[in-house]
Amino acid sequence: MLSTLTFFISESFISLRRNGLMTMVAVGTITVSLCIFGFFLLSIINMSNIVSNLGTKVDLVAYASQPLTDTEAENVRLQISRIDGVKEAKWISKDKAWKDFKEEFSDRLKLEEIVDSNPLPDTFFVKMLNPELSAKVSKEIARISLIEEVGFNPNLVDKIETLVEAFRIGGLMLVFLLSLATLLIVVNTIRLTVLARETEIVIMRLVGATRSFIRWPFIIEGIILGMLGSGISIVIIKFTYEAIIVRLQNALPFVTLFTNHFWIGCVYFLVAIVGVLLGMLGGYISVNKQLKEEN
Amino acid sequence: MIQLIGVTKTYPNGVGALYDINLHVGKEEFMFIVGPSGAGKTTLLRMLYKEESPTMGEVIVDRVKVNNLTAEQVPYLRRNIGVVFQDYKLLPKRTVYENVAFALQVTGTPHFQVRRRVMQALELVALLRKANSFPDELSGGEKQRTCIARAIVNNPPILLADEPTGSLDPTTSWDIIQLLDKINKRNTTVLVATHNKSIVDGMKKRVVALEGGRMIRDQQLGAYSGERLSNA
Ligand SMILES: Nc1ncnc2c1ncn2[C@@H]1O[C@H](COP(=O)(O)OP(=O)(O)O)[C@@H](O)[C@H]1O
Ligand SMILES: [Mg+2]
């Protein structure tokens, strides 16, 4: 058993070396495809992450139509917080809003010179449980009496989500096409070995080697190609991603990029699995063609 | 050991290669299949190890109905049948030893048995001293001995030889046939397809003659052509 395995593996390495150039082309193609696949997965993870963060940060802001007493304000706040999809609602009295506003902009504007009375209404900040419901919730808040208007662009999150969805679908198509192209190249590479070893296959069949025995060296050859390709691409993805994260985090500090090691580890794992599977499948297909032609 | 019952073979392109062949070969036999080129000798041999299947009729090898074997079972049939060719089919980048060992390695023979069995086979074909030579360093006769060693290295009960002397000079041809005879005496059924007249006449073995896919003669202690026997 062990001697058989050693036989297979040494045979595979011999033929990979014999087809040096084609082996490099195949490993290169697998690497490129897997890098694109890996970055696609990382982008998806990051976008989902950003969108869900967006959801907790994008608040609805509701403005009262007239100055409110404390009881009226508490009443409105309760009505808002009872709406489905609302996490919490917070009341900022018009006085506090005016004070905050003045504090924030005091160094840039001399507001008192322009407006001497407080122009701001009582304000409710609304935190959402689920950003997808924003549009619906904002309509319901607008229906509450004493609420004048709800400030928030209800389409923004929708638009981002549509964008992410389009990216996801487009990316999946790209990944699929790339896998197909990679598979073809792997099949062709191993096909060269199959052809170079045609006499050997004929003799193996003649002396009674089983079909699976004949297949294994080629499948192992595919696995080796896949492992080389995915190893290289994981290294590339790791270093590039880390470099990108550092730069992006500096340039866009308000966007939280994904650094959770578990999920990033999952991406690497997936890249490795896909690489090895592509190689295996390629090996299987190329030798099976030969076995079908006879018999 | 080998039995053909009403075997007819028509190739997919419509060429008829064999018609209603009935044949029985016993365990200890050495048999020649003779006939002009295109008579169907190769086709007959190929059906025994299921490289081709009959269009009609039954092929039985070692009590096994070859027709019914699945693709997964065919390899095990072939481990019981050694095959030798006119063009040797040796692997050029492997030594004599490696060519013979290959047959054992690819059929899952335990590592520790390979060396002993290859050496035995090489000794039988008198090629031990060439064990480390590559095929293109060998004479035609030596190549054929290598091919024979590979065919018998796992001791199959049946040995088929398709024009084994087709590319050899008369003396070497005679040596090769003597070797096949020696193998037959070690309890192996041997079938030799040939159109080498002097060899067939010299051996005085059973002769089955084919012509245009039909069996026209089956003689014990036969000769290449029927006339000579009628003269005797
Ligand atoms: N693979 C094949 N496909 C179609 N026809 C074949 C094939 N092999 C042999 N034949 C035909 O079958 C006949 C018998 O061929 P073969 O068995 O090779 O004869 P022999 O070995 O006696 O010379 C010939 O007419 C030959 O052309
Ligand atoms: Mg022939």
Side-chain angles (χ1 to χ4, degrees):
Chain A
M1 194 54 230
L2 194 67
S3 68
T4 304
L5 192 68
T6 330
F7 178 72
F8 285 158
I9 294 176
S10 72
E11 291 289 300
S12 307
F13 271 109
I14 288 170
S15 72
L16 284 174
R17 224 177 315 132
R18 203 154 43 195
N19 300 325
L21 183 66
M22 204 52 209
T23 300
M24 284 194 290
V25 170
V27 171
T29 317
I30 297 175
T31 304
V32 170
S33 304
L34 289 179
C35 278
I36 294 178
F37 177 57
F39 280 118
F40 168 71
L41 288 180
L42 288 172
S43 316
I44 289 288
I45 290 185
N46 272 299
M47 286 188 184
S48 310
N49 192 38
I50 291 169
V51 169
S52 62
N53 278 343
L54 217 56
T56 55
K57 277 176 192 161
V58 171
D59 297 334
L60 296 176
V61 189
Y63 304 102
S65 53
Q66 58 189 75
L68 303 179
T69 65
D70 285 9
T71 25
E72 280 170 334
E74 181 56 17
N75 204 351
V76 171
R77 196 190 66 78
L78 278 176
Q79 283 187 60
I80 292 174
S81 54
R82 274 193 217 109
I83 297 171
D84 260 355
V86 171
K87 192 175 170 205
E88 62 172 337
K90 191 175 166 201
W91 168 51
I92 308 289
S93 73
K94 61 179 291 170
D95 295 338
K96 180 160 191 326
W98 185 228
K99 198 168 136 261
D100 290 349
F101 186 86
K102 279 192 294 192
E103 259 169 30
E104 189 164 348
F105 294 100
S106 56
D107 50 341
R108 274 167 268 175
L109 297 167
K110 290 263 171 284
L111 273 169
E112 279 108 328
E113 291 167 12
I114 314 160
V115 205
D116 45 7
S117 69
N118 178 355
L120 295 179
D122 283 86
T123 306
F124 298 89
F125 286 119
V126 184
K127 273 205 193 303
M128 301 293 301
L129 278 175
N130 180 349
E132 280 164 26
L133 295 173
S134 300
K136 194 177 128 276
V137 170
S138 74
K139 276 192 205 109
E140 283 192 41
I141 296 176
R143 253 185 255 125
I144 299 172
S145 57
L146 298 177
I147 291 292
E148 166 102 57
E149 74 169 312
V150 183
F152 157 75
N153 179 357
N155 291 324
L156 180 63
V157 171
D158 277 0
K159 272 184 191 146
I160 293 175
E161 294 228 307
T162 324
L163 213 67
V164 171
E165 194 57 28
F167 180 81
R168 213 175 289 177
I169 293 170
L172 276 180
M173 296 274 288
L174 184 71
V175 164
F176 179 74
L177 289 177
L178 275 172
S179 309
L180 220 60
T182 311
L183 187 63
L184 276 176
I185 297 217
V186 173
V187 168
N188 265 332
T189 310
I190 299 177
R191 190 100 193 105
L192 282 187
T193 322
V194 173
L195 291 179
R197 297 181 55 193
E198 209 172 357
T199 327
E200 279 176 47
I201 295 178
V202 167
I203 291 164
M204 283 199 240
R205 287 165 42 77
L206 188 74
V207 299
T210 60
R211 291 158 150 257
S212 60
F213 187 98
I214 297 174
R215 271 186 208 123
W216 271 113
F218 299 99
I219 294 179
I220 289 179
E221 197 177 320
I223 293 177
I224 293 173
L225 286 177
M227 290 202 308
L228 286 176
S230 46
I232 297 173
S233 39
I234 287 171
V235 170
I236 293 177
I237 293 171
K238 185 173 156 58
F239 284 105
T240 320
Y241 187 65
E242 278 165 9
I244 289 179
I245 280 203
V246 172
R247 305 259 147 83
L248 265 189
Q249 209 74 102
N250 287 338
L252 310 167
F254 50 89
V255 177
T256 22
L257 285 172
F258 209 75
T259 49
N260 182 321
H261 288 294
F262 175 72
W263 287 108
I264 290 177
C266 284
V267 168
Y268 295 153
F269 184 68
L270 214 64
V271 165
I273 292 281
V274 167
V276 169
L277 281 183
L278 271 179
M280 258 181 107
L281 192 64
Y284 184 85
I285 292 174
S286 48
V287 67
N288 230 34
K289 226 167 124 196
Q290 186 78 8
L291 290 178
K292 284 236 173 65
E293 274 164 16
E294 320 162 24
N295 231 344
Chain B
M1 190 45 122
I2 296 171
Q3 207 176 350
L4 277 71
I5 306 165
V7 168
T8 294
K9 173 69 187 180
T10 309
Y11 281 105
N13 62 0
V15 175
L18 291 173
Y19 300 95
D20 192 27
I21 304 292
N22 292 284
L23 190 63
H24 184 278
V25 187
K27 177 143 185 49
E28 65 300 335
E29 278 195 272
F30 185 116
M31 187 183 98
F32 284 112
I33 303 167
V34 303
S37 184
K41 307 181 292 293
T42 299
T43 304
L44 195 157
L45 293 183
R46 285 163 71 91
M47 276 193 301
L48 300 181
Y49 56 100
K50 209 171 196 283
E51 193 60 41
E52 298 290 348
S53 296
T55 316
M56 272 195 297
E58 186 102 66
V59 176
I60 300 167
V61 174
D62 206 4
R63 287 188 292 278
V64 174
K65 291 185 179 181
V66 173
N67 304 27
N68 299 345
L69 294 180
T70 64
E72 275 63 42
Q73 294 168 318
V74 170
Y76 300 96
L77 167 76
R78 291 185 182 169
R79 290 178 194 187
N80 288 323
I81 304 177
V83 190
V84 171
F85 301 94
Q86 176 176 357
D87 61 358
Y88 322 122
K89 297 200 198 299
L90 299 176
L91 299 170
K93 288 185 185 148
R94 295 179 197 246
T95 63
V96 166
Y97 177 91
E98 288 164 347
N99 264 282
V100 177
F102 189 76
L104 293 177
Q105 285 164 338
V106 302
T107 47
T109 309
H111 196 61
F112 69 92
Q113 290 185 10
V114 171
R115 186 167 179 83
R116 183 174 51 80
R117 292 172 68 172
V118 172
M119 288 315 206
Q120 279 172 0
L122 288 180
E123 187 177 8
L124 179 67
V125 302
L127 217 56
L128 268 179
R129 69 203 161 78
K130 295 279 182 177
N132 295 319
S133 303
F134 287 91
D136 57 11
E137 299 164 356
L138 301 177
S139 70
E142 288 164 343
K143 284 182 196 164
Q144 192 55 286
R145 285 169 190 276
T146 310
C147 184
I148 292 171
R150 181 179 64 194
I152 55 144
V153 70
N154 65 350
N155 291 315
I158 298 171
L159 179 63
L160 310 178
D162 193 357
E163 314 267 11
T165 62
S167 325
L168 303 176
D169 62 71
T171 321
T172 316
S173 298
W174 187 249
D175 290 346
I176 291 294
I177 292 296
Q178 290 302 319
L179 175 57
L180 295 178
D181 191 35
K182 183 167 139 196
I183 291 165
N184 169 243
K185 300 220 158 75
R186 291 163 43 106
N187 249 333
T188 307
T189 314
V190 176
L191 267 65
V192 181
T194 184
H195 51 241
N196 187 324
K197 185 175 185 316
S198 53
I199 277 176
V200 177
D201 291 347
M203 291 296 290
K204 299 192 174 58
K205 298 285 187 180
R206 181 179 174 190
V207 176
V208 164
L210 297 179
E211 204 175 289
R214 289 171 211 281
M215 209 171 105
I216 55 166
R217 190 155 54 92
D218 181 358
Q219 280 179 316
Q220 299 296 331
L221 306 177
Y224 189 84
S225 44
E227 305 93 60
R228 191 183 126 146
L229 203 87
S230 61
N231 291 345

